[in-house]
Amino acid sequence: MTKLLTIVEAAPLVRKTENAMRWWLYQKDCPIKTAKIGGRLFIRESDITAYIDAQFAEAS
């Protein structure tokens, strides 16, 4: 089972503040998907890792 992160936990991984991360996730073009579980937003840790890997691949 993949680890689920809250916005507070995920924001430092992409070096954003909590508010910036929340704004980014609500944008339609955000590459990271969220799931609402019990009224809270969660992000899969694997999605964050895939996003970071893609950014490095794109830069190369």
Side-chain angles (χ1 to χ4, degrees):
M1 181 177 213
T2 187
K3 184 176 179 184
L4 297 176
L5 304 173
T6 63
I7 291 175
V8 173
E9 295 167 332
L13 298 176
V14 289
R15 301 184 66 104
K16 291 188 177 286
T17 64
E18 179 183 347
N19 287 336
M21 183 73 168
R22 191 176 303 279
W23 178 84
W24 187 45
L25 292 171
Y26 280 112
Q27 301 305 305
K28 293 194 184 293
D29 62 344
C30 180
I32 298 174
K33 303 301 177 206
T34 61
K36 196 173 225 182
I37 302 170
R40 296 177 67 193
L41 282 179
F42 288 94
I43 304 154
R44 287 186 294 208
E45 186 176 37
S46 59
D47 288 346
I48 296 281
T49 304
Y51 169 73
I52 293 169
D53 292 342
Q55 295 304 301
F56 276 102
E58 187 177 300
S60 298

